[in-house]
Structures are given as C-alpha cells and as structure tokens.
Amino acid sequence: MVFHPLKREELDEVLDIELRQVQKRVLDSTTRPFLFRITSEGREFLLEGGTDQRYGARHLKRAIERYVVYPIARLLADFTSASG
C-alpha cells in the first residue's frame, strides 16, 4: 500500500478535528463554559511541531496534548483550586 503525503488543506482539517475534540473534552469536564481559540500562529506552530513529510500527522495529537491540553488542564485546575 502506498501512502501519499497529506496536503496542507488535509493537515488543517486534521488539526480542526483534533481541536474540536479537545474543546468537547474541556466542555464535558467543566461546569462552567470554557472556550479556547488558537491563533493562526498557534495553528502553524502545532502543524510544524506535529507533522512531517514522512509520518504525516501522526505526531499532531502529541503536540496538541503537550501545547494545548496540558496547559488548559493546569489553568483549569488552578482556577478551580483558587475559586474553591
């Protein structure tokens, strides 16, 4: 089976799907609405760190966990402990 490298539009779509899943996880885990937005520079950073020509978007989830999920989790934990 031959795999072709993902095009930029396809990588953007994968990133959108992954970020929507993170947003859903955040909303499902908090009692207060918490929405986040990734700037175009942030999206570029995630795509640069989470994709490459050889492996495509395989490492994108890891980059999102490291640079989006973990900081949001720490922020929410700090907010919860400060307001509780």
Side-chain angles (χ1 to χ4, degrees):
M1 185 177 289
V2 176
F3 291 98
H4 299 285
L6 295 173
K7 295 180 179 110
R8 175 57 192 237
E9 299 82 32
E10 295 165 325
L11 292 172
D12 281 332
E13 190 174 329
V14 170
L15 180 60
D16 285 339
I17 291 167
E18 293 297 329
L19 290 174
R20 278 196 302 271
Q21 289 177 351
V22 170
Q23 182 65 74
K24 184 180 179 336
R25 283 172 47 198
V26 169
L27 289 173
D28 289 347
S29 67
T30 60
T31 56
R32 294 181 175 161
F34 182 91
L35 302 174
F36 66 89
R37 184 175 66 97
I38 306 289
T39 63
S40 57
E41 293 85 359
R43 292 176 61 85
E44 197 62 37
F45 175 81
L46 290 170
L47 286 172
E48 285 178 20
T51 62
D52 65 33
Q53 288 293 351
R54 185 170 185 191
Y55 296 108
R58 287 187 184 160
H59 301 290
L60 188 55
K61 274 190 178 188
R62 190 175 303 140
I64 291 170
E65 289 289 322
R66 182 176 186 184
Y67 298 113
V68 178
V69 173
Y70 296 154
I72 287 175
R74 283 192 301 272
L75 177 69
L76 291 173
D78 289 347
F79 179 75
T80 302
S81 65
S83 65

